Amino acid sequence: MNKPEILYMVVPCYNEQEVLHETAKQLKEKYTTLIQQKLISEKSRVVFVNDGSKDTTWKIIQELHAESPEFFSGINLAHNSGHQNAVLAGLMTVKDICDMAITMDADLQDDINTIDAMVKEYYNGNQVVYGVRSARKTDTFFKKFTAESFYKFMKIMGADVVYNHADFRLMSRRVLQELANFKEVNLFLRGMIPIIGFQSCNVYYERHERFAGESKYPLKKMLAFAINGITSFSTKPLKLITSLGFIMFIISIIAFIWSFIVKIADLSVSGWSSITCSIWLIGGLQLLCLGIIGEYVGKIYAEVKQRPRFIVADFINDTGKN
Ligand code: UDP
Ligand code: MG
């Protein structure tokens, strides 16, 4: 086998003082075995990203680094930036010093033993390895239902996400370099990584309960996240307005014909036809116009994101010289 490569774990932490020691302990054990098995290099590190915590999280990270600098590193963000931004901050900081990076939550919900499988898949040639939940036994019915509906709805709305995959994933250095070219501000990593492409695969794991502390994603934040996901990834809602306007317009024509017939048959109250027709016609036209404006807004939206237009995976070129 080739020389073991460098793995950096990126772990976002927001008020995680209750779990951090346990997470660090388990990750240290995992790293020790992986290094012994020569699956990862001794230069591998775990990077805790402190996302503006209000508790002692950063202090604990500093202590961990002081005790075992050969395992633990830390990044301290200036203020709370949210999970996605914290993950990206970690990834962009390590992108030039690692061969592969795994992002994982700090609360031990993601199964640490899956790391082995992810690293092996990396050596099999996969540039992205998605951690996918095989079971949701520990989730409440409500959480399971809302989460699963979320993935289905995202798909309908045109954002390509991996079903039941959150942000537990391995990415190669190559993928991180490409991710750096995505300049958008509204981050939705699980939609962005599939766009990058390259060879990828899934590994399955059972999601545990939070080790300690409470979820930093209450329903309100989850909804905001879902809306951000849809509006950051698709202009389908705008297209829906156009379709709706078009349907209303058709209905207004039918209403027009109908009111005309009623008028001729002399069944209508005076003034009824003109009011009925105008309501439907104006409503339909307004929606249609909104939709058309929406189409342009959608285009502007895609342009201002300045996403890379293509990503070259390989370049085979023989210039004849050595
Ligand atoms: N997190 C973060 N910044 C935030 C909120 C959360 O870095 O503003 C981290 C948090 O410390 C955890 C991960 O993101 O490591 C996922 O959060 P949580 O476990 O609360 O979400 P849930 O698993 O309940 O969806
Ligand atoms: Mg969690």
Side-chain angles (χ1 to χ4, degrees), residues 288-301:
L288 190 65
C289 294
L290 261 185
I292 292 170
I293 294 171
E295 298 282 336
Y296 284 99
V297 173
K299 297 257 150 50
I300 298 168
Y301 174 65

Side-chain angles (χ1 to χ4, degrees), residues 273-293:
S273 316
S274 48
I275 289 179
T276 313
C277 288
S278 351
I279 290 172
W280 282 92
L281 188 70
I282 292 172
L285 278 178
Q286 271 180 342
L287 268 183
L288 190 65
C289 294
L290 261 185
I292 292 170
I293 294 171

Side-chain angles (χ1 to χ4, degrees), residues 11-16 19 49-53 77 80-84 86-87 104-109 133 143 190 207 210 214-218 221-222:
V11 186
C13 310
Y14 177 58
N15 295 344
E16 297 287 8
V19 284
V49 183
N50 176 40
D51 184 16
S53 302
L77 297 186
N80 179 254
S81 314
H83 173 238
Q84 299 286 297
V87 169
M104 193 190 87
D105 288 353
D107 55 6
L108 295 173
Q109 281 192 284
R133 291 173 215 180
K143 174 94 190 183
R190 61 186 89 167
R207 185 133 163 118
R210 201 173 223 287
E214 56 191 40
S215 171
K216 276 86 197 166
Y217 268 97
K221 259 199 190 173
M222 231 162 68

